[in-house]
Amino acid sequence: MSKTSKKTAAADRKARIEEMRRAEKARDRRNRIITISTVIIAGLVGWGAYAIDNANEKSDQKAAAAKKPIRGEKTWDAKKLGRTHVTGTVKYPMNPPVGGNHAPAWMTCNGNVYTNAIPNENAVHSLEHGAVWVTYNDKAGAADVKTLADKVTKTPYTLMSPDRTESGPIMLSAWGHQLSVNKASDPRVEQFLTKYVQGAQTPEPGAACTNGLTAS
């Protein structure tokens, strides 16, 4: 074989080797991409399943809480609570009121904490929209008031205000339902909020708790 032929053959071998190396590198890249994609997809599927299971679990917990009676809770027949819009003062049979005729405007109840007493007639309208109204008197401790205020500010469809005339240190009211507790740490507080914030008792579910009246 001539020198020219040898050089040509060597060049061809080198070219084939380089081509094989490029093909091998391309296969390696494809395999890595497929492996990474498979891991990502598996992770997304797993996270999706977890998220769905977690959401279902929370939904089941809320449904269970909605059926469970709350110890010490007082209830009134919702059918006997008026829902007419009126002007002026309404004399309610319970304090704080848990329903009845009320003012045309509601108190803004998007986690609002009011530092002064608010009109019953406007607060009752908020209850009609599915809000829970947290009230307290001078017997409530400062730490308890702060704990409740922090909880309310994080919970849409709630409002909070002082009420020196109420019988219990801390009281929670929803439409037709009321609970009195001594401490913010009482587990029934969370139970009441879970059960009645936009709960089944709501006469107007989904009605706004924003853009109502506000106070200091």
Side-chain angles (χ1 to χ4, degrees):
M1 180 181 292
S2 66
K3 289 183 177 180
T4 301
S5 298
K6 288 181 179 180
K7 288 181 179 180
T8 300
D12 289 342
R13 285 196 299 273
K14 184 177 181 180
R16 287 197 299 272
I17 291 171
E18 290 297 325
E19 180 63 28
M20 291 172 63
R21 286 176 177 172
R22 286 195 294 270
E24 184 177 359
K25 288 180 180 179
R27 284 195 301 272
D28 289 342
R29 284 196 297 271
R30 286 196 299 272
N31 289 337
R32 283 197 298 271
I33 291 172
I34 291 171
T35 301
I36 293 171
S37 299
T38 301
V39 171
I40 291 173
I41 291 171
L44 290 174
V45 170
W47 170 252
Y50 167 79
I52 292 172
D53 289 343
N54 193 41
N56 288 338
E57 182 178 355
K58 288 182 177 179
S59 178
D60 291 343
Q61 289 175 347
K62 188 164 185 177
K67 295 178 181 179
K68 187 177 180 180
I70 300 175
R71 178 175 53 84
E73 174 190 0
K74 293 182 179 180
T75 60
W76 287 262
D77 187 350
K79 295 179 180 179
K80 295 181 180 180
L81 297 174
R83 292 179 53 198
T84 302
H85 288 180
V86 297
T87 58
T89 303
V90 178
K91 186 176 181 179
Y92 294 102
M94 73 294 288
N95 184 48
V98 299
N101 296 338
H102 49 268
W106 59 90
M107 291 301 299
T108 300
C109 42
N110 193 34
N112 294 73
V113 176
Y114 300 105
T115 57
N116 295 318
I118 58 178
N120 286 337
E121 294 77 16
N122 302 107
V124 169
H125 196 153
S126 300
L127 302 187
E128 186 182 40
H129 288 192
V132 168
W133 182 19
V134 180
T135 52
Y136 60 95
N137 64 19
D138 295 338
K139 296 178 182 178
D144 288 313
V145 172
K146 184 180 185 305
T147 297
L148 290 168
D150 290 343
K151 186 182 294 290
V152 166
T153 56
K154 298 174 184 177
T155 310
Y157 282 93
T158 63
L159 68 164
M160 178 174 171
S161 65
D163 185 346
R164 293 181 177 179
T165 66
E166 68 181 26
S167 59
I170 299 166
M171 299 183 74
L172 293 86
S173 303
W175 190 271
H177 302 268
Q178 192 168 79
L179 176 69
S180 179
V181 298
N182 294 323
K183 304 289 290 183
S185 58
D186 192 312
R188 293 176 295 168
V189 171
E190 189 63 35
Q191 188 180 358
F192 194 94
L193 291 171
T194 299
K195 187 171 185 176
Y196 293 122
V197 169
Q198 279 287 284
Q201 86 292 342
T202 305
E204 296 181 3
C209 242
T210 56
N211 300 321
L213 294 182
T214 57
S216 60

